[in-house]
Amino acid sequence: MKKILTLILVSALGGIMTLSAYKFFIEKDSQIQIATNSPDSTLSYFPTSHKAVASYGTLNVPDFTEAANDAVHSVVHVKNLTISRAPMTLQDLFMGRNTERAQVGTGSGVIISPDGYIITNNHVINGAQKLSITLNDNRTYDAELIGTDEKTDIALLKIDAETDLSFATFGDSDQAKVGEWVLAVGNPFNLTSTVTAGIISAKSRDLSGVNSQSFIQTDAAVNPGNSGGALVNTRGELIGINTAITSQTGSYIGYSFAVPSNIARKVVEDIMEFGNVQKGVLGVRGGELNSKSAETLEVNTTQGFYVSDVEARSGAEKAGVKEGDIIKKIDNITISKFSDLSGYLSTKRPNDVVTLTLIRNGAEKIIPVTLSKTEILTVDFLNMQLRNIPDDLKKSANITNGVVVVKNENYALYKNLGINRGYIITEINDQKINDVEDIIKLKQQHGEDFDKKLKKLSIINKSGQKESFIFK
């Protein structure tokens, strides 16, 4: 028993000595701080920040909140009521049922003025018997169709609201850059006020294959119902009208396309001022350059628009543009493909002046050109649309004069005589026709009833054979 007590006493004494040595010789002095709460602070068991964060990592990630908030108030839900008529069946007849069926299509639109003008896609409202607009605050109005342009797929609507409306401010789509952040705002699948983000993937994108379009391509998610909605930049400025997707399923798979705001704005301004779209014509024909065409044409550049022909009486001819010129820029827009040129010209009207930067014989030239009206290119005659024959076609087909048919809506001439697109009219009433100007002069001389005075028409068919038709 005495041994056990001795052992315990020795152990306790050793512990005391060890702890004392640590305190005096090893442990450093430390200060103790007491945390106090300010009057407006709250108790938290974890590190917490109560500051509102505008953006996290502002050097890398943009802040979309203000742009999204502005955009959703200017984007509306468009409902399109159409009446379809199915063939009547015997069962419908016996049951006395009406074969008319009401169908409702939906899309989006963007308010562009405080008094209720709304821009959307033509395909969103096409064929509508009634149009209904729902605002972001759930107010609903009937809409009036002001005008449309099928080529650009743009339509203009108008609603009458009791108060001024929130509206989108147009941005300059020419200044938008590939890689720039954008937001797509619309109503996909009837999910109102939906915002998605992406970047501009490409500009001047043509989906038709005939260089007639100039879309902004983006990877912001766009689905059915987004059509007619807004594509905005991080400042909330409208830089495009969401229009199309390319997908085998009909839904978004990574590509979407928007009509550039500069084109959309010009179209709606034309509709409001003139009732239709005014198009300025440069007056050149040709094609975009690449390695193969540059080698064939024996030029030392692979980018730009090669001028193969200049339209007679056009602004380009009057300004001195020549065959063989290579257009590198129009105003401040670099031309790398034809859709760059056609897209920019879609924002211009007749008599607007553009500045061409071109290469001629290896030297750079700057030429101002006044754009012409489309009438210099085509003329309507006998319910056909005719235009001048390109010089290269004249040379290859050994044709000295005439105008080519680009459209024929004259059923009798098409059905009975076979005159169609590609036929060439060389004489009218034994009078030689050199270009569309000759037909314009004939119409002016003979007045509106010139069609009734037609006695003879000489043509060259698609096989290159000459024919003449006598009218009695």
Side-chain angles (χ1 to χ4, degrees), residues 262-310:
N262 286 1
I263 294 177
R265 185 182 70 247
K266 187 259 182 182
V267 168
V268 297
E269 287 174 350
D270 282 356
I271 290 173
M272 292 173 68
E273 184 174 353
F274 305 104
N276 54 31
V277 177
Q278 307 289 299
K279 185 176 180 181
V281 174
L282 185 61
V284 296
R285 284 195 294 268
E288 61 189 53
L289 290 171
N290 52 40
S291 296
K292 185 176 181 180
S293 60
E295 183 179 355
T296 303
L297 296 168
E298 298 181 348
V299 296
N300 58 2
T301 181
T302 58
Q303 284 193 321
F305 181 83
Y306 183 85
V307 178
S308 62
D309 192 20
V310 181

Side-chain angles (χ1 to χ4, degrees), residues 1 28 37 91-92 101 118 135 198 230 265 285 305 319 341 421 440 454 458 460:
M1 184 67 179
K28 295 181 180 180
N37 291 333
Q91 190 175 12
D92 291 331
R101 302 286 186 271
I118 296 170
L135 306 185
R265 185 182 70 247
R285 284 195 294 268
F305 181 83
L341 182 63
R421 181 184 175 90
I440 292 173
L454 181 66
S458 299
I460 299 175

Side-chain angles (χ1 to χ4, degrees), residues 66-76 109-111 135-137 139 165-168 185 193:
E66 290 188 13
N69 184 61
D70 291 341
V72 294
H73 292 299
S74 63
V75 174
V76 301
V110 185
I111 304 172
L135 306 185
N136 190 54
D137 61 8
R139 285 183 290 169
L165 302 173
S166 298
F167 63 96
V185 188
S193 304

